[in-house]
Structures are given as C-alpha cells and as structure tokens.
Amino acid sequence: MVGGNVSERRMQPPAVGVSVVILALGPEETASDCRDAMPSRLWLPLVRRVRQPFLGRWALPGGDLRADRSLEQSAYHALETTTDLHPRYLEQLYTFGDPARSHGGLPMVSIVYWALVGKAEAHDFTEADNVRWFPEDKLPELAFDHRQIIDYALWRLRNKIEYPDIATKLVGDTFTLRQLHHVYEAITGEAIDVANFRRRMLLSGELEDTGEKLRDGRHRPAAVYRYNPDRSRASTAPPVGPPRDAPTIEELEGQRIEDALSALMPSARA
C-alpha cells in the first residue's frame, strides 16, 4: 500500500506499466457517392476507469508489468483482456514518464505501444461494460496524459502514411483503389479528391493489378491491387521514441487547443 504525503510519494520509485493505442479503420458513416461525404475516420477503444485517480474517466487499455512476461507480451495481454484483439501490427511508440502525469499520486511510467487493426480484425467493434470505441476526432475527456499520447500516436501514423506496410495493416494486402482512398482519408483526417488520388496512385508505379475484381457495396466490380514490392518506398522500422523533428507533447497539445479555438472563431476573411 502506498503511504505518506504527496512529497513522500513523489520520492518513491515510479510504478511502471504498459499502455496501448489501438487504431482501427472505422465504419463509413455517410453515403460513399455523396460529394460532401466526410472522410473515413480512425477509431480506438478506451477503458472506463473504476478506481482513483480519474475515477469514471476514459483511458487507454493497459496493465502492470509482470516478471514472467516481456513488454510485448504485456501489451498483447492488455489488448486481449479489454478488446479481444490480437493485431498483426504492434510497435513500441514511446515511454512517458513526466513526474506531473500522476497528478499527486505515486509516480508513474507508461511504456506505450501502438497497434493498427484492419477491418477484418475489428469488424464488429465489440464493446463491454467498461470498454467503448470512439472516433479519434470525438474523444471524451481522458485520464492522465492519455490525450497527448493519442495525439503523438496519430502524428507518428500520419508521418508514416506513405509506407506500404502501414496502409496494408489497415486495408489488407490486397485492396481496391476506393478502399485505399478510405485509408488515406482516415489517416490524414481530411477529404481527398478521388480522381486525383486514383491518378496519383496509378502513376506512382507502386501498385500492381492482381487481375482480380471485387464488388464493393453498390459499386460495379473494381480492380484489386497490391503494393509492388520492387517499386514501393523502402520502409524501415522507426526508432523507439520521437525522431529529431518530432514535436514535443506540449507542442502537440498546444496545436490541438489552437485548432479547436480556430474552429470556434469566425473567419477573418472578407
């Protein structure tokens, strides 16, 4: 049991745990043939806390470390006990250990992993009593510094969007151009002109036609592609932790607040 006052607790060795940011391509919420349709979105599961601190708030799935589990095994265990997911892509994101993140409690260090989950793996978005899926642009108030952690994971993902192995983790090894377009919209969080996207991808030389056709919803059968391993951009595993040009957590939080304020202010243009 942790005792002592706040100052004494802050001098104790920190508790170390694992948290996971799980990003999945969510369901389409608007008609695909609507010109003003919103882009696809990334969704992630959160867990409602049942104890202090931050009782009742939502948080990232996570758990404590155990001597008989590796860090990666601990991350998978946190996933399986909250979401029943076992994603193909799991990578260590960063270690967060700012002394203020525990908000007066025992100092806490979180080794954070991020996972990409394809539609086939999260097709039903299963929820439980204290587990719920949220779109990344409509997150509730979160515990600890978990909003900043999610912002950092999204920043990393958007800076890796051109790596074929990232896109295929969300869309699959084979895909139509429409499906790939949805992935790009979800990752960037912006609407992308379909015609320009198709033209750019086909001219890039990175895709090869499998010769197969796939009927996607009400659309006519579309050509199925895969990334050409001989022509696609080289993808190397990123280092653990932020690259040199990565924004700090404080910068990401400031940008998020600035974007929110800009959305509330009327346009300055005449």
Side-chain angles (χ1 to χ4, degrees):
M1 179 179 293
V2 178
N5 58 33
V6 172
S7 297
E8 291 172 339
R9 290 197 297 270
R10 287 177 176 170
M11 296 300 293
Q12 296 181 25
V16 182
V18 170
S19 298
V20 188
V21 181
I22 309 165
L23 299 171
L25 190 64
E28 298 170 35
E29 298 179 300
T30 54
S32 59
D33 56 352
C34 176
R35 291 181 179 272
D36 298 323
M38 293 297 292
S40 302
R41 293 194 289 185
L42 294 171
W43 289 61
L44 63 160
L46 298 173
V47 180
R48 191 191 299 274
R49 287 185 58 80
V50 295
R51 63 178 182 270
Q52 296 289 0
F54 299 107
L55 175 66
R57 284 200 195 177
W58 295 94
L60 292 168
D64 298 328
L65 297 181
R66 280 183 15 180
D68 61 344
R69 290 196 190 114
S70 68
L71 291 176
E72 186 171 289
Q73 288 171 337
S74 297
Y76 274 121
H77 179 75
L79 286 173
E80 292 167 354
T81 55
T82 54
T83 65
D84 292 328
L85 292 172
H86 195 88
R88 295 185 299 163
Y89 186 90
L90 181 72
E91 177 188 325
Q92 193 172 139
L93 177 69
Y94 193 51
T95 299
F96 295 82
D98 190 286
R101 69 190 306 266
S102 62
H103 290 260
L106 180 69
M108 299 175 62
V109 172
S110 286
I111 301 168
V112 180
Y113 281 76
W114 65 318
L116 299 181
V117 179
K119 265 191 172 180
E121 297 172 279
H123 62 91
D124 56 357
F125 277 45
T126 303
E127 298 183 347
D129 290 342
N130 288 309
V131 179
R132 186 180 302 171
W133 286 81
F134 294 88
E136 57 89 7
D137 58 343
K138 291 187 177 180
L139 297 178
E141 189 172 8
L142 301 180
F144 304 108
D145 54 356
H146 288 189
R147 177 57 192 255
Q148 291 93 327
I149 292 175
I150 293 171
D151 286 343
Y152 181 69
L154 291 169
W155 180 87
R156 280 285 294 273
L157 178 61
R158 286 161 183 160
N159 279 271
K160 289 166 61 70
I161 189 175
E162 299 297 342
Y163 290 157
D165 62 335
I166 294 297
T168 54
K169 294 301 184 295
L170 291 170
V171 74
D173 294 328
T174 59
F175 44 83
T176 65
L177 285 176
R178 180 174 177 269
Q179 291 172 334
L180 188 62
H181 175 257
H182 285 316
V183 169
Y184 269 69
E185 284 195 329
I187 292 177
T188 61
E190 300 175 351
I192 300 175
D193 181 78
V194 176
N196 288 337
F197 177 82
R198 291 175 60 89
R199 187 180 308 110
R200 177 167 67 88
M201 296 306 300
L202 292 175
L203 291 177
S204 70
E206 295 182 352
L207 303 182
E208 61 180 17
D209 194 331
T210 66
E212 300 176 0
K213 297 284 186 180
L214 177 67
R215 180 177 294 278
D216 191 0
R218 295 174 297 170
H219 297 264
R220 64 183 182 182
V224 176
Y225 295 87
R226 60 172 165 253
Y227 276 101
N228 183 340
D230 299 326
R231 295 292 302 277
S232 10
R233 297 173 179 83
S235 174
T236 56
V240 175
R244 292 182 179 180
D245 60 343
T248 65
I249 296 299
E250 291 76 13
E251 289 171 339
L252 282 170
E253 176 66 5
Q255 184 60 54
R256 184 175 69 82
I257 294 174
E258 182 179 332
D259 291 344
L261 290 175
S262 297
L264 295 174
M265 296 175 64
S267 173
R269 289 180 293 184

